[in-house]
Amino acid sequence: KVPYAEGVGRGGYIAVKEEGGKPDYTLIATGSEFALAMETAKELKAKGKRVRVVSMPCTEIFDAQPEEYRKS
């Protein structure tokens, strides 16, 4: 569980981190499609792909974050 100030309070956060380096795919979910992104990540991982899932419920708050945070 991601604390509010480190997740939703920043507009977006990494919900699932990739294993073994840079991800093959980054899925960004802004709302109700989050469950679909999680299921898709599970299927891709089963095929040997590295996947990152980002929950971004508020793009405006996310865009206001420091560049370093947005790039991470």
Side-chain angles (χ1 to χ4, degrees):
K1 186 174 180 181
V2 177
Y4 177 83
E6 297 172 25
V8 175
R10 295 192 88 173
Y13 63 95
I14 299 171
V16 175
K17 293 185 180 185
E18 67 287 346
E19 300 293 330
K22 184 178 179 181
D24 297 308
Y25 299 96
T26 298
L27 307 176
I28 301 173
T30 60
S32 62
E33 74 280 0
F34 183 75
L36 177 59
M38 295 296 285
E39 184 62 32
T40 302
K42 181 179 173 183
E43 291 182 22
L44 288 168
K45 285 183 176 192
K47 295 181 181 207
K49 302 297 182 184
R50 292 183 306 273
V51 182
R52 174 186 295 169
V53 178
V54 175
S55 175
M56 191 176 302
C58 186
T59 58
E60 291 84 9
I61 294 173
F62 181 79
D63 289 343
Q65 298 304 308
E67 182 178 3
E68 182 179 319
Y69 182 77
R70 292 190 322 257
K71 285 185 175 184
S72 71

